[in-house]
Amino acid sequence: MFAALIAPTALAEDGIYLGVTVGGALYEATYDKTVDNTLANNVSMLFAGQRLHAQASADRITYEAGVLVGYRGSFGVLFYGIEGDWTTHQGTVSGHLEGVGTTPQRNQVGENWPEDWELAKDMSYGVTVRVGGEVPVIDTTAYVLVGLRRVQADFSRSYFGCLQGDFCVPDQFQSGSEFFDENFNAFSVGAGIEQPLANLVLRAELRYVAHGSVDQLVLFDDLGVSVPTRLEASEVGLGVGLLWTF
């Protein structure tokens, strides 16, 4: 996630401030899936004892808006800011996993089936620390930032294949869908500038957010198949916003 925020009316003024933000980001996700046939009760006739792995990535532009509250202080010629924010997101990354298999008729038990998948950011909140100073000649300040975020997202995937021990013909295939509420513990870094605008200050900010990864595990106990998956996500964004002090 990225956001742009505003600073107090006077760039060097200390105190509590409120702000609003809007922005957009290039959101990228990687979906990693393994079909594990190494369980003792595995019924796959062709893949027993094997692990089949597949991976797919996708990206999309997403949008967001948020509110924030923070405190700004100074030490010498530098300033610092500590703020918390809450942000809502719009936009979904959609992808297709080709899958892995060797049978003439794909999607048999034990194969890594093709899947359609989606990951959508829902909302996030976090704490950000900024340190900066005045840019010589022009009435502007610049800063760098680091932060921690909690990103809540919705993940879904759909599949189509054989869910019985014997070899299936296409009209015996079954479809299914799975839905997960995911929570990423993210880390952000970035930089920005601030400029007075009437009795407010406008901030423009570039931010990179590494969401990290989350894991899922689905067990097909009657088939002796387990399907561990992993999602990794990150984004680069640019935002603007306004802030005012009490």
Side-chain angles (χ1 to χ4, degrees), residues 86-245:
W86 179 91
T87 302
T88 181
H89 304 269
Q90 295 292 325
T92 301
V93 173
S94 301
H96 178 74
L97 187 75
E98 289 295 338
V100 177
T102 60
T103 61
Q105 178 59 58
R106 299 286 298 275
N107 296 32
Q108 299 299 321
V109 167
E111 290 186 77
N112 196 325
W113 300 345
E115 288 186 356
D116 293 319
W117 57 277
E118 292 187 346
L119 179 64
K121 288 179 293 182
D122 182 17
M123 59 86 68
S124 66
Y125 53 90
V127 175
T128 303
V129 175
R130 293 172 173 80
V131 177
E134 184 176 352
V135 178
V137 181
I138 58 177
D139 186 20
T140 300
T141 60
Y143 61 85
V144 294
L145 68 89
V146 295
L148 298 175
R149 305 198 61 74
R150 181 75 164 176
V151 182
Q152 297 179 358
D154 300 315
F155 177 63
S156 64
R157 59 193 183 201
S158 58
Y159 52 83
F160 183 70
C162 182
L163 287 173
Q164 64 187 42
D166 298 328
F167 190 86
C168 292
V169 295
D171 61 1
Q172 295 176 308
F173 286 174
Q174 301 176 52
S175 62
S177 298
E178 294 162 351
F179 302 88
F180 302 88
D181 294 324
E182 303 293 3
N183 292 286
F184 293 89
N185 294 315
F187 175 76
S188 60
V189 295
I193 58 172
E194 298 170 340
Q195 181 64 43
L197 183 66
N199 61 343
L200 300 173
V201 171
L202 175 69
R203 179 183 288 175
E205 184 170 284
L206 178 68
R207 182 182 296 196
Y208 170 75
V209 183
H211 291 212
S213 63
V214 292
D215 298 303
Q216 308 90 19
L217 177 65
V218 176
L219 296 174
F220 296 90
D221 291 327
D222 54 338
L223 301 174
V225 176
S226 67
V227 184
T229 61
R230 169 168 290 191
L231 280 168
E232 296 181 351
S234 63
E235 59 187 289
V236 177
L238 179 65
V240 295
L242 292 175
L243 178 153
W244 56 96
T245 58

Side-chain angles (χ1 to χ4, degrees), residues 31-108:
Y31 175 43
D32 189 289
K33 173 188 168 188
T34 299
V35 175
D36 188 348
N37 297 290
T38 62
L39 300 179
N41 62 331
N42 181 263
V43 301
S44 172
M45 296 181 294
L46 299 175
F47 303 102
Q50 299 183 42
R51 292 185 178 93
L52 302 182
H53 174 260
Q55 186 181 92
S57 297
D59 56 57
R60 183 179 174 180
I61 298 295
T62 60
Y63 304 94
E64 61 199 45
V67 294
L68 62 95
V69 60
Y71 176 81
R72 180 183 177 113
S74 58
F75 51 95
V77 297
L78 299 178
F79 72 86
Y80 66 89
I82 302 173
E83 76 187 32
D85 73 273
W86 179 91
T87 302
T88 181
H89 304 269
Q90 295 292 325
T92 301
V93 173
S94 301
H96 178 74
L97 187 75
E98 289 295 338
V100 177
T102 60
T103 61
Q105 178 59 58
R106 299 286 298 275
N107 296 32
Q108 299 299 321

